[in-house]
Amino acid sequence: MKVAFLSESPADEAVLRVLVDAILGEPAQITPAGFRARGWPNVLQVLPAVIRHLHFNTDVETLVVTCDSDDSPVHTEAHEAPQYYHPHCRMCQLRAVFRQTSKRFPIAHGRLKVRRVVGVAVPALEAWLLCGRDSDVSEGAWINGQLAGRPPYTRAELKFRIYQTERPSLPHEIECALRETERHRRDLRRLEYDFPGFAALMKDLKSPA
Amino acid sequence: MNRVQGVDVIDTVVFHNFKALRNTSLRLSLFNLVIGPNGSGKTSLIQALQQLRTLSQFPLGDAAMQSRSGGPEIAFTFTAPYSGIVARLGCTSDVLCDFLHVDCLDTASWLEVKCRLATLRTYVLDHDAMAQSSVRADSAVLESNGGNLAAVLAARQHEAPLAFARMEAELLRLLPEFTGIVIEDDSGGRVRFSLGIDGAGEPVRAENLSQGALYLLGLLVLSFDPTPPAVVCIEEIDRGVHPRMLREVRDVLYRLSYPESFGEKREPVQVITTTHSPYMLDQFRDHPDEVVITQKLGHEARFERLSDRLDLPELLREGTLGDMWFSGVLGGVPEQQ
């Protein structure tokens, strides 16, 4: 499968490459230079252009897009109802961009559209990395904290737990992230269970084109 | 605001009637990224620090300030244990400050601050100057424009080979097309450098390197200095560097201010730096306390900390820091006529 990534940092992309291979059960063919957004909402701004570029100018089959939820509303089961769209849920927003951008595409490079694979890390990718290592960290814990008005942890705290500093160098960030990802690569079930934002990515990736 | 216990750094700078800085103050943190329109006081701040360094090295003059009454004045305070010291630059004209008066009851404390200030360095790197060969003996510190880069590299390689090797490894990680730093004698006691290139090609001589490669090398020389200064000021840190590499540039400078985050055991360096790049500003989303915005209104400018914006979390939901700056929401943009 030919896969392209749109992520917020090289560290995020390094993690996703491993996770995508683990989901597929075989190495994906990755486009050499990943697409990069400068955080939210820049992901939303560049996504239509990336989708169009991949569809018309390449033979890439799948675009994997991930972002952090930060403190936005978390995508829940209710958002999956037909025709439902939450204007502030990042999963709903990203899926809508895919839908709207590709709906009138002609067939190009032998496919009707580039496969959509979207994952939202709640509240940040570091939470996925801590999954299975820190039992306090899960999407459910974050949602409960949001409901109570007291988030269980901050993004900065999650980063510190992984990198042991608030200002990791990029190589250190990637090294720590890949070390944690290795645990998931062997067994994705905990990550899938604790983080529906990752389960959605898995489901998209496994769905027929 | 990030401060390190027991490390003496400049605490505040207070400007009165100095150029566009008519009546404003800035509390400096360990790392400071200053953004704002042209002519809003970014360079004036760095010049004031440079002048403090220069004048602090002379014997203190008469206690009476010789500046004009109501004329320009720049006052500096310092962090603990030197918080009782106030150094004032007095000015003979609107732009020339050449008197230093120090309010300090403890002469020994001032002498310690003075030693620290003696190491303060300011940089406006110039790729043309950096590419030149330089006199081998002229290697004590990197010059303000980076003009003796070759000599500094040669000295570093000889005198601090481990630090040199780590710096070289970092350079090769950032610019993987190169294989190493090659230092050669030039005529007349001068030394020059090249970067070895992947494959069988000849090393690329400094004068043929890209501007970005030279600026990165200059920043790495500062960042991996085994005996760094107490304070470093660098103008326009984003020059010549691809936007995707700006995270790396930020990290090179963070190494100075937060050595423990990079596995180094030495005192942190206070960094004051400037940029006009929204992409560089984006790198500070998680640390808005490190960003200073110069706001210019007419002929007057003032400093504001980005972290003082109470609506910052809401703004970041709408756009990146760089976008918010460019749009004008954060201020720090040129005025329209």
Side-chain angles (χ1 to χ4, degrees), chain A residues 162-192:
Chain A
I162 296 284
Y163 311 121
Q164 299 298 305
T165 167
E166 290 179 0
R167 294 171 183 79
S169 69
L170 189 56
H172 180 65
E173 191 173 324
I174 291 174
E175 183 190 340
C176 294
L178 288 179
R179 190 171 57 233
E180 301 296 338
T181 309
E182 183 59 23
R183 192 175 60 251
H184 299 313
R185 189 185 65 76
R186 293 193 297 267
D187 187 350
L188 291 162
R189 286 175 297 179
R190 179 74 184 266
L191 187 58
E192 183 185 8

PDB file of all heavy atoms in Angstrom, chain A residues 162-192:
ATOM      1  N   ILE A 162       7.267  11.594  29.115  1.00  0.00           N
ATOM      2  CA  ILE A 162       7.933  10.839  28.046  1.00  0.00           C
ATOM      3  C   ILE A 162       9.393  11.266  27.898  1.00  0.00           C
ATOM      4  O   ILE A 162      10.293  10.428  27.836  1.00  0.00           O
ATOM      5  CB  ILE A 162       7.226  11.064  26.692  1.00  0.00           C
ATOM      6  CG1 ILE A 162       5.804  10.511  26.725  1.00  0.00           C
ATOM      7  CG2 ILE A 162       8.027  10.430  25.543  1.00  0.00           C
ATOM      8  CD1 ILE A 162       5.699   9.021  26.618  1.00  0.00           C
ATOM      9  N   TYR A 163       9.608  12.576  27.832  1.00  0.00           N
ATOM     10  CA  TYR A 163      10.942  13.071  27.447  1.00  0.00           C
ATOM     11  C   TYR A 163      11.809  13.474  28.635  1.00  0.00           C
ATOM     12  O   TYR A 163      12.984  13.779  28.464  1.00  0.00           O
ATOM     13  CB  TYR A 163      10.793  14.269  26.493  1.00  0.00           C
ATOM     14  CG  TYR A 163       9.830  14.012  25.356  1.00  0.00           C
ATOM     15  CD1 TYR A 163       8.701  14.814  25.169  1.00  0.00           C
ATOM     16  CD2 TYR A 163      10.037  12.964  24.467  1.00  0.00           C
ATOM     17  CE1 TYR A 163       7.801  14.572  24.136  1.00  0.00           C
ATOM     18  CE2 TYR A 163       9.140  12.709  23.440  1.00  0.00           C
ATOM     19  CZ  TYR A 163       8.024  13.522  23.285  1.00  0.00           C
ATOM     20  OH  TYR A 163       7.132  13.267  22.275  1.00  0.00           O
ATOM     21  N   GLN A 164      11.203  13.561  29.828  1.00  0.00           N
ATOM     22  CA  GLN A 164      11.926  13.979  31.034  1.00  0.00           C
ATOM     23  C   GLN A 164      12.463  15.400  30.934  1.00  0.00           C
ATOM     24  O   GLN A 164      13.416  15.774  31.629  1.00  0.00           O
ATOM     25  CB  GLN A 164      13.083  13.012  31.350  1.00  0.00           C
ATOM     26  CG  GLN A 164      12.624  11.587  31.604  1.00  0.00           C
ATOM     27  CD  GLN A 164      11.704  11.481  32.801  1.00  0.00           C
ATOM     28  OE1 GLN A 164      12.060  11.901  33.904  1.00  0.00           O
ATOM     29  NE2 GLN A 164      10.494  10.961  32.591  1.00  0.00           N
ATOM     30  N   THR A 165      11.918  16.175  30.048  1.00  0.00           N
ATOM     31  CA  THR A 165      12.260  17.586  29.942  1.00  0.00           C
ATOM     32  C   THR A 165      11.123  18.278  29.196  1.00  0.00           C
ATOM     33  O   THR A 165      10.399  17.634  28.442  1.00  0.00           O
ATOM     34  CB  THR A 165      13.593  17.823  29.192  1.00  0.00           C
ATOM     35  OG1 THR A 165      13.702  19.222  28.862  1.00  0.00           O
ATOM     36  CG2 THR A 165      13.667  17.029  27.892  1.00  0.00           C
ATOM     37  N   GLU A 166      10.988  19.578  29.423  1.00  0.00           N
ATOM     38  CA  GLU A 166       9.961  20.330  28.695  1.00  0.00           C
ATOM     39  C   GLU A 166      10.459  20.755  27.317  1.00  0.00           C
ATOM     40  O   GLU A 166       9.692  21.254  26.509  1.00  0.00           O
ATOM     41  CB  GLU A 166       9.572  21.586  29.488  1.00  0.00           C
ATOM     42  CG  GLU A 166       8.794  21.287  30.748  1.00  0.00           C
ATOM     43  CD  GLU A 166       8.456  22.550  31.509  1.00  0.00           C
ATOM     44  OE1 GLU A 166       8.827  23.652  31.057  1.00  0.00           O
ATOM     45  OE2 GLU A 166       7.813  22.422  32.557  1.00  0.00           O
ATOM     46  N   ARG A 167      11.743  20.605  27.101  1.00  0.00           N
ATOM     47  CA  ARG A 167      12.314  21.065  25.829  1.00  0.00           C
ATOM     48  C   ARG A 167      13.207  19.984  25.225  1.00  0.00           C
ATOM     49  O   ARG A 167      14.430  20.131  25.178  1.00  0.00           O
ATOM     50  CB  ARG A 167      13.107  22.350  26.049  1.00  0.00           C
ATOM     51  CG  ARG A 167      12.237  23.516  26.467  1.00  0.00           C
ATOM     52  CD  ARG A 167      13.059  24.705  26.881  1.00  0.00           C
ATOM     53  NE  ARG A 167      12.213  25.791  27.336  1.00  0.00           N
ATOM     54  CZ  ARG A 167      11.652  25.858  28.533  1.00  0.00           C
ATOM     55  NH1 ARG A 167      11.855  24.900  29.418  1.00  0.00           N
ATOM     56  NH2 ARG A 167      10.893  26.895  28.857  1.00  0.00           N
ATOM     57  N   PRO A 168      12.604  18.887  24.772  1.00  0.00           N
ATOM     58  CA  PRO A 168      13.434  17.841  24.177  1.00  0.00           C
ATOM     59  C   PRO A 168      13.981  18.276  22.823  1.00  0.00           C
ATOM     60  O   PRO A 168      13.301  18.994  22.080  1.00  0.00           O
ATOM     61  CB  PRO A 168      12.454  16.679  24.003  1.00  0.00           C
ATOM     62  CG  PRO A 168      11.118  17.337  23.849  1.00  0.00           C
ATOM     63  CD  PRO A 168      11.168  18.583  24.701  1.00  0.00           C
ATOM     64  N   SER A 169      15.178  17.852  22.517  1.00  0.00           N
ATOM     65  CA  SER A 169      15.669  18.044  21.151  1.00  0.00           C
ATOM     66  C   SER A 169      14.885  17.096  20.249  1.00  0.00           C
ATOM     67  O   SER A 169      14.302  16.106  20.725  1.00  0.00           O
ATOM     68  CB  SER A 169      17.158  17.727  21.065  1.00  0.00           C
ATOM     69  OG  SER A 169      17.346  16.341  21.252  1.00  0.00           O
ATOM     70  N   LEU A 170      14.872  17.382  18.972  1.00  0.00           N
ATOM     71  CA  LEU A 170      14.107  16.533  18.055  1.00  0.00           C
ATOM     72  C   LEU A 170      14.611  15.080  18.053  1.00  0.00           C
ATOM     73  O   LEU A 170      13.804  14.147  18.128  1.00  0.00           O
ATOM     74  CB  LEU A 170      14.131  17.144  16.644  1.00  0.00           C
ATOM     75  CG  LEU A 170      13.215  16.484  15.632  1.00  0.00           C
ATOM     76  CD1 LEU A 170      11.772  16.455  16.115  1.00  0.00           C
ATOM     77  CD2 LEU A 170      13.305  17.230  14.299  1.00  0.00           C
ATOM     78  N   PRO A 171      15.936  14.845  18.001  1.00  0.00           N
ATOM     79  CA  PRO A 171      16.399  13.455  18.042  1.00  0.00           C
ATOM     80  C   PRO A 171      15.984  12.734  19.332  1.00  0.00           C
ATOM     81  O   PRO A 171      15.598  11.566  19.301  1.00  0.00           O
ATOM     82  CB  PRO A 171      17.928  13.569  17.958  1.00  0.00           C
ATOM     83  CG  PRO A 171      18.181  14.900  17.352  1.00  0.00           C
ATOM     84  CD  PRO A 171      17.055  15.785  17.788  1.00  0.00           C
ATOM     85  N   HIS A 172      16.039  13.457  20.456  1.00  0.00           N
ATOM     86  CA  HIS A 172      15.640  12.857  21.731  1.00  0.00           C
ATOM     87  C   HIS A 172      14.148  12.533  21.710  1.00  0.00           C
ATOM     88  O   HIS A 172      13.725  11.461  22.163  1.00  0.00           O
ATOM     89  CB  HIS A 172      15.974  13.820  22.870  1.00  0.00           C
ATOM     90  CG  HIS A 172      15.607  13.311  24.223  1.00  0.00           C
ATOM     91  ND1 HIS A 172      16.201  12.204  24.781  1.00  0.00           N
ATOM     92  CD2 HIS A 172      14.674  13.731  25.119  1.00  0.00           C
ATOM     93  CE1 HIS A 172      15.671  11.985  25.974  1.00  0.00           C
ATOM     94  NE2 HIS A 172      14.730  12.889  26.196  1.00  0.00           N
ATOM     95  N   GLU A 173      13.372  13.465  21.154  1.00  0.00           N
ATOM     96  CA  GLU A 173      11.917  13.272  21.075  1.00  0.00           C
ATOM     97  C   GLU A 173      11.598  12.028  20.234  1.00  0.00           C
ATOM     98  O   GLU A 173      10.783  11.186  20.631  1.00  0.00           O
ATOM     99  CB  GLU A 173      11.285  14.525  20.466  1.00  0.00           C
ATOM    100  CG  GLU A 173       9.783  14.565  20.573  1.00  0.00           C
ATOM    101  CD  GLU A 173       9.206  15.903  20.116  1.00  0.00           C
ATOM    102  OE1 GLU A 173       9.842  16.950  20.362  1.00  0.00           O
ATOM    103  OE2 GLU A 173       8.131  15.893  19.512  1.00  0.00           O
ATOM    104  N   ILE A 174      12.267  11.919  19.095  1.00  0.00           N
ATOM    105  CA  ILE A 174      12.004  10.776  18.208  1.00  0.00           C
ATOM    106  C   ILE A 174      12.459   9.470  18.869  1.00  0.00           C
ATOM    107  O   ILE A 174      11.750   8.457  18.833  1.00  0.00           O
ATOM    108  CB  ILE A 174      12.696  10.990  16.845  1.00  0.00           C
ATOM    109  CG1 ILE A 174      12.010  12.137  16.092  1.00  0.00           C
ATOM    110  CG2 ILE A 174      12.670   9.712  16.004  1.00  0.00           C
ATOM    111  CD1 ILE A 174      12.693  12.546  14.798  1.00  0.00           C
ATOM    112  N   GLU A 175      13.617   9.520  19.505  1.00  0.00           N
ATOM    113  CA  GLU A 175      14.146   8.305  20.152  1.00  0.00           C
ATOM    114  C   GLU A 175      13.191   7.810  21.242  1.00  0.00           C
ATOM    115  O   GLU A 175      12.853   6.615  21.295  1.00  0.00           O
ATOM    116  CB  GLU A 175      15.527   8.617  20.758  1.00  0.00           C
ATOM    117  CG  GLU A 175      16.204   7.433  21.392  1.00  0.00           C
ATOM    118  CD  GLU A 175      17.441   7.830  22.172  1.00  0.00           C
ATOM    119  OE1 GLU A 175      17.993   8.929  21.918  1.00  0.00           O
ATOM    120  OE2 GLU A 175      17.838   7.068  23.052  1.00  0.00           O
ATOM    121  N   CYS A 176      12.734   8.743  22.101  1.00  0.00           N
ATOM    122  CA  CYS A 176      11.814   8.353  23.181  1.00  0.00           C
ATOM    123  C   CYS A 176      10.496   7.859  22.601  1.00  0.00           C
ATOM    124  O   CYS A 176       9.931   6.862  23.068  1.00  0.00           O
ATOM    125  CB  CYS A 176      11.544   9.541  24.111  1.00  0.00           C
ATOM    126  SG  CYS A 176      12.967  10.097  25.028  1.00  0.00           S
ATOM    127  N   ALA A 177      10.003   8.576  21.574  1.00  0.00           N
ATOM    128  CA  ALA A 177       8.707   8.210  20.987  1.00  0.00           C
ATOM    129  C   ALA A 177       8.771   6.818  20.366  1.00  0.00           C
ATOM    130  O   ALA A 177       7.862   6.005  20.549  1.00  0.00           O
ATOM    131  CB  ALA A 177       8.300   9.259  19.950  1.00  0.00           C
ATOM    132  N   LEU A 178       9.845   6.546  19.669  1.00  0.00           N
ATOM    133  CA  LEU A 178       9.958   5.234  19.017  1.00  0.00           C
ATOM    134  C   LEU A 178      10.131   4.116  20.046  1.00  0.00           C
ATOM    135  O   LEU A 178       9.646   2.999  19.846  1.00  0.00           O
ATOM    136  CB  LEU A 178      11.115   5.237  18.020  1.00  0.00           C
ATOM    137  CG  LEU A 178      10.869   6.056  16.749  1.00  0.00           C
ATOM    138  CD1 LEU A 178      12.081   6.014  15.832  1.00  0.00           C
ATOM    139  CD2 LEU A 178       9.632   5.556  16.006  1.00  0.00           C
ATOM    140  N   ARG A 179      10.810   4.437  21.144  1.00  0.00           N
ATOM    141  CA  ARG A 179      10.976   3.428  22.206  1.00  0.00           C
ATOM    142  C   ARG A 179       9.602   3.023  22.759  1.00  0.00           C
ATOM    143  O   ARG A 179       9.313   1.848  22.952  1.00  0.00           O
ATOM    144  CB  ARG A 179      11.866   3.996  23.315  1.00  0.00           C
ATOM    145  CG  ARG A 179      12.291   2.961  24.341  1.00  0.00           C
ATOM    146  CD  ARG A 179      13.334   3.502  25.286  1.00  0.00           C
ATOM    147  NE  ARG A 179      12.878   4.705  25.968  1.00  0.00           N
ATOM    148  CZ  ARG A 179      13.553   5.851  25.997  1.00  0.00           C
ATOM    149  NH1 ARG A 179      14.700   5.963  25.383  1.00  0.00           N
ATOM    150  NH2 ARG A 179      13.086   6.900  26.646  1.00  0.00           N
ATOM    151  N   GLU A 180       8.752   4.035  22.998  1.00  0.00           N
ATOM    152  CA  GLU A 180       7.414   3.740  23.517  1.00  0.00           C
ATOM    153  C   GLU A 180       6.561   3.047  22.456  1.00  0.00           C
ATOM    154  O   GLU A 180       5.753   2.171  22.771  1.00  0.00           O
ATOM    155  CB  GLU A 180       6.727   5.031  23.974  1.00  0.00           C
ATOM    156  CG  GLU A 180       7.469   5.812  25.052  1.00  0.00           C
ATOM    157  CD  GLU A 180       7.599   5.048  26.364  1.00  0.00           C
ATOM    158  OE1 GLU A 180       6.792   4.134  26.602  1.00  0.00           O
ATOM    159  OE2 GLU A 180       8.528   5.357  27.143  1.00  0.00           O
ATOM    160  N   THR A 181       6.728   3.453  21.200  1.00  0.00           N
ATOM    161  CA  THR A 181       5.913   2.877  20.126  1.00  0.00           C
ATOM    162  C   THR A 181       6.222   1.395  19.933  1.00  0.00           C
ATOM    163  O   THR A 181       5.353   0.624  19.518  1.00  0.00           O
ATOM    164  CB  THR A 181       6.165   3.639  18.804  1.00  0.00           C
ATOM    165  OG1 THR A 181       6.009   5.031  19.056  1.00  0.00           O
ATOM    166  CG2 THR A 181       5.172   3.233  17.729  1.00  0.00           C
ATOM    167  N   GLU A 182       7.429   1.005  20.251  1.00  0.00           N
ATOM    168  CA  GLU A 182       7.829  -0.391  20.083  1.00  0.00           C
ATOM    169  C   GLU A 182       6.897  -1.323  20.869  1.00  0.00           C
ATOM    170  O   GLU A 182       6.545  -2.409  20.408  1.00  0.00           O
ATOM    171  CB  GLU A 182       9.289  -0.552  20.550  1.00  0.00           C
ATOM    172  CG  GLU A 182       9.884  -1.919  20.387  1.00  0.00           C
ATOM    173  CD  GLU A 182       9.871  -2.402  18.930  1.00  0.00           C
ATOM    174  OE1 GLU A 182       9.814  -1.560  18.032  1.00  0.00           O
ATOM    175  OE2 GLU A 182       9.897  -3.637  18.739  1.00  0.00           O
ATOM    176  N   ARG A 183       6.469  -0.833  22.051  1.00  0.00           N
ATOM    177  CA  ARG A 183       5.545  -1.622  22.879  1.00  0.00           C
ATOM    178  C   ARG A 183       4.225  -1.848  22.119  1.00  0.00           C
ATOM    179  O   ARG A 183       3.683  -2.942  22.109  1.00  0.00           O
ATOM    180  CB  ARG A 183       5.305  -0.857  24.187  1.00  0.00           C
ATOM    181  CG  ARG A 183       4.611  -1.626  25.275  1.00  0.00           C
ATOM    182  CD  ARG A 183       4.528  -0.822  26.559  1.00  0.00           C
ATOM    183  NE  ARG A 183       3.788   0.427  26.421  1.00  0.00           N
ATOM    184  CZ  ARG A 183       4.317   1.632  26.449  1.00  0.00           C
ATOM    185  NH1 ARG A 183       5.610   1.777  26.600  1.00  0.00           N
ATOM    186  NH2 ARG A 183       3.564   2.712  26.331  1.00  0.00           N
ATOM    187  N   HIS A 184       3.734  -0.768  21.482  1.00  0.00           N
ATOM    188  CA  HIS A 184       2.465  -0.875  20.749  1.00  0.00           C
ATOM    189  C   HIS A 184       2.627  -1.712  19.484  1.00  0.00           C
ATOM    190  O   HIS A 184       1.695  -2.387  19.071  1.00  0.00           O
ATOM    191  CB  HIS A 184       1.950   0.518  20.377  1.00  0.00           C
ATOM    192  CG  HIS A 184       1.668   1.378  21.568  1.00  0.00           C
ATOM    193  ND1 HIS A 184       0.966   0.931  22.659  1.00  0.00           N
ATOM    194  CD2 HIS A 184       1.984   2.677  21.840  1.00  0.00           C
ATOM    195  CE1 HIS A 184       0.863   1.899  23.556  1.00  0.00           C
ATOM    196  NE2 HIS A 184       1.484   2.963  23.083  1.00  0.00           N
ATOM    197  N   ARG A 185       3.782  -1.604  18.873  1.00  0.00           N
ATOM    198  CA  ARG A 185       3.989  -2.317  17.612  1.00  0.00           C
ATOM    199  C   ARG A 185       3.769  -3.826  17.807  1.00  0.00           C
ATOM    200  O   ARG A 185       3.209  -4.494  16.945  1.00  0.00           O
ATOM    201  CB  ARG A 185       5.415  -2.064  17.104  1.00  0.00           C
ATOM    202  CG  ARG A 185       5.681  -2.567  15.685  1.00  0.00           C
ATOM    203  CD  ARG A 185       7.130  -2.384  15.295  1.00  0.00           C
ATOM    204  NE  ARG A 185       8.032  -3.188  16.093  1.00  0.00           N
ATOM    205  CZ  ARG A 185       8.229  -4.496  15.956  1.00  0.00           C
ATOM    206  NH1 ARG A 185       7.555  -5.164  15.032  1.00  0.00           N
ATOM    207  NH2 ARG A 185       9.058  -5.153  16.737  1.00  0.00           N
ATOM    208  N   ARG A 186       4.178  -4.287  18.983  1.00  0.00           N
ATOM    209  CA  ARG A 186       4.039  -5.726  19.251  1.00  0.00           C
ATOM    210  C   ARG A 186       2.589  -6.114  19.530  1.00  0.00           C
ATOM    211  O   ARG A 186       2.176  -7.229  19.256  1.00  0.00           O
ATOM    212  CB  ARG A 186       4.936  -6.127  20.432  1.00  0.00           C
ATOM    213  CG  ARG A 186       6.424  -6.007  20.116  1.00  0.00           C
ATOM    214  CD  ARG A 186       7.257  -6.708  21.183  1.00  0.00           C
ATOM    215  NE  ARG A 186       7.092  -6.101  22.498  1.00  0.00           N
ATOM    216  CZ  ARG A 186       7.887  -5.158  22.976  1.00  0.00           C
ATOM    217  NH1 ARG A 186       8.899  -4.707  22.262  1.00  0.00           N
ATOM    218  NH2 ARG A 186       7.682  -4.657  24.172  1.00  0.00           N
ATOM    219  N   ASP A 187       1.839  -5.176  20.128  1.00  0.00           N
ATOM    220  CA  ASP A 187       0.446  -5.480  20.476  1.00  0.00           C
ATOM    221  C   ASP A 187      -0.341  -4.165  20.520  1.00  0.00           C
ATOM    222  O   ASP A 187      -0.166  -3.361  21.435  1.00  0.00           O
ATOM    223  CB  ASP A 187       0.390  -6.177  21.839  1.00  0.00           C
ATOM    224  CG  ASP A 187      -1.010  -6.658  22.175  1.00  0.00           C
ATOM    225  OD1 ASP A 187      -1.964  -6.284  21.454  1.00  0.00           O
ATOM    226  OD2 ASP A 187      -1.154  -7.414  23.164  1.00  0.00           O
ATOM    227  N   LEU A 188      -1.224  -4.006  19.554  1.00  0.00           N
ATOM    228  CA  LEU A 188      -1.938  -2.720  19.418  1.00  0.00           C
ATOM    229  C   LEU A 188      -3.240  -2.676  20.224  1.00  0.00           C
ATOM    230  O   LEU A 188      -3.906  -1.641  20.279  1.00  0.00           O
ATOM    231  CB  LEU A 188      -2.275  -2.477  17.934  1.00  0.00           C
ATOM    232  CG  LEU A 188      -1.084  -2.192  17.017  1.00  0.00           C
ATOM    233  CD1 LEU A 188      -1.476  -2.401  15.559  1.00  0.00           C
ATOM    234  CD2 LEU A 188      -0.578  -0.775  17.222  1.00  0.00           C
ATOM    235  N   ARG A 189      -3.588  -3.787  20.866  1.00  0.00           N
ATOM    236  CA  ARG A 189      -4.940  -3.886  21.425  1.00  0.00           C
ATOM    237  C   ARG A 189      -5.204  -2.866  22.532  1.00  0.00           C
ATOM    238  O   ARG A 189      -6.281  -2.278  22.596  1.00  0.00           O
ATOM    239  CB  ARG A 189      -5.183  -5.306  21.945  1.00  0.00           C
ATOM    240  CG  ARG A 189      -5.401  -6.306  20.822  1.00  0.00           C
ATOM    241  CD  ARG A 189      -5.517  -7.702  21.333  1.00  0.00           C
ATOM    242  NE  ARG A 189      -4.280  -8.124  21.990  1.00  0.00           N
ATOM    243  CZ  ARG A 189      -4.108  -9.306  22.552  1.00  0.00           C
ATOM    244  NH1 ARG A 189      -5.089 -10.181  22.546  1.00  0.00           N
ATOM    245  NH2 ARG A 189      -2.958  -9.627  23.114  1.00  0.00           N
ATOM    246  N   ARG A 190      -4.215  -2.642  23.396  1.00  0.00           N
ATOM    247  CA  ARG A 190      -4.439  -1.696  24.494  1.00  0.00           C
ATOM    248  C   ARG A 190      -4.636  -0.282  23.949  1.00  0.00           C
ATOM    249  O   ARG A 190      -5.519   0.459  24.399  1.00  0.00           O
ATOM    250  CB  ARG A 190      -3.230  -1.744  25.451  1.00  0.00           C
ATOM    251  CG  ARG A 190      -3.307  -0.796  26.638  1.00  0.00           C
ATOM    252  CD  ARG A 190      -4.295  -1.307  27.678  1.00  0.00           C
ATOM    253  NE  ARG A 190      -4.447  -0.377  28.781  1.00  0.00           N
ATOM    254  CZ  ARG A 190      -3.750  -0.437  29.922  1.00  0.00           C
ATOM    255  NH1 ARG A 190      -2.860  -1.390  30.091  1.00  0.00           N
ATOM    256  NH2 ARG A 190      -3.966   0.433  30.887  1.00  0.00           N
ATOM    257  N   LEU A 191      -3.820   0.073  22.997  1.00  0.00           N
ATOM    258  CA  LEU A 191      -3.931   1.409  22.404  1.00  0.00           C
ATOM    259  C   LEU A 191      -5.287   1.561  21.710  1.00  0.00           C
ATOM    260  O   LEU A 191      -5.948   2.603  21.816  1.00  0.00           O
ATOM    261  CB  LEU A 191      -2.777   1.619  21.410  1.00  0.00           C
ATOM    262  CG  LEU A 191      -2.621   3.010  20.805  1.00  0.00           C
ATOM    263  CD1 LEU A 191      -2.435   4.077  21.872  1.00  0.00           C
ATOM    264  CD2 LEU A 191      -1.423   3.040  19.834  1.00  0.00           C
ATOM    265  N   GLU A 192      -5.695   0.510  21.046  1.00  0.00           N
ATOM    266  CA  GLU A 192      -6.979   0.533  20.346  1.00  0.00           C
ATOM    267  C   GLU A 192      -8.134   0.680  21.338  1.00  0.00           C
ATOM    268  O   GLU A 192      -9.082   1.432  21.103  1.00  0.00           O
ATOM    269  CB  GLU A 192      -7.133  -0.769  19.539  1.00  0.00           C
ATOM    270  CG  GLU A 192      -8.392  -0.832  18.704  1.00  0.00           C
ATOM    271  CD  GLU A 192      -8.541  -2.198  18.022  1.00  0.00           C
ATOM    272  OE1 GLU A 192      -7.747  -3.112  18.329  1.00  0.00           O
ATOM    273  OE2 GLU A 192      -9.443  -2.335  17.192  1.00  0.00           O
TER     274      GLU A 192
END
